[in-house]
């Protein structure tokens, strides 16, 4: 399997009779795994029929990334707003061709 899973997944697997082999990550290993998990969740979001469920998963991973990098959501929002003012958002749907 070799992927980061939600905190209760090993417990849930054990309750169903499985014996998951888990390793607890922290520091740089956890940061790397969280970035990989974000990509995994983004791909699932891209192909999702239930966009709310997958978007919730993306947000959960983003929360964990912000916590592990000691980032403040207000600072991230300020940067997002600055970039929107400078370059715009994605509301118009412009798709660059060629």
């Amino acid at each position: 399997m070799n992927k980061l899973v939600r905190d209760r997944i090993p417990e849930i697997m054990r309750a169903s009779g499985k014996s998951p082999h888990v390793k607890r990550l922290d520091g740089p290993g956890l940061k790397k795994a969280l970035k990989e998990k974000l990509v995994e969740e983004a791909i699932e979001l891209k192909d999702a029929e239930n966009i709310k469920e997958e978007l919730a998963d993306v947000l959960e991973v983003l929360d964990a990334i912000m916590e592990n990098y000691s980032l403040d959501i207000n600072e991230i929002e300020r940067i997002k707003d600055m970039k929107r003012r400078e370059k715009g958002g994605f509301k118009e749907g412009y798709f660059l061709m060629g």
Side-chain angles (χ1 to χ4, degrees), residues 5-17:
V5 294
R6 288 176 174 267
D7 296 340
R8 293 196 56 229
I9 294 301
E11 170 190 339
I12 292 167
M13 291 175 74
R14 286 184 197 103
S16 71

Side-chain angles (χ1 to χ4, degrees), residues 14-46:
R14 286 184 197 103
S16 71
K18 296 179 183 168
S19 299
H21 178 72
V22 296
K23 173 183 174 182
R24 188 149 185 206
L25 300 176
D26 60 6
L30 178 55
K31 289 177 178 180
K32 181 178 186 234
L34 283 166
K35 289 178 186 179
E36 291 169 356
K37 189 67 174 182
L38 181 59
V39 171
E40 175 190 330
E41 295 297 347
I43 290 168
E44 290 178 12
L45 175 64
K46 176 178 122 345

Side-chain angles (χ1 to χ4, degrees), residues 49-75:
E49 289 186 27
N50 185 345
I51 197 163
K52 290 179 184 179
E53 288 284 325
E54 294 305 329
L55 193 54
D57 290 342
V58 168
L59 289 174
E60 186 69 35
V61 176
L62 287 172
D63 284 348
I65 289 172
M66 285 190 288
E67 181 177 330
N68 277 274
Y69 280 85
S70 300
L71 300 173
D72 175 35
I73 187 65
N74 294 317
E75 180 184 358

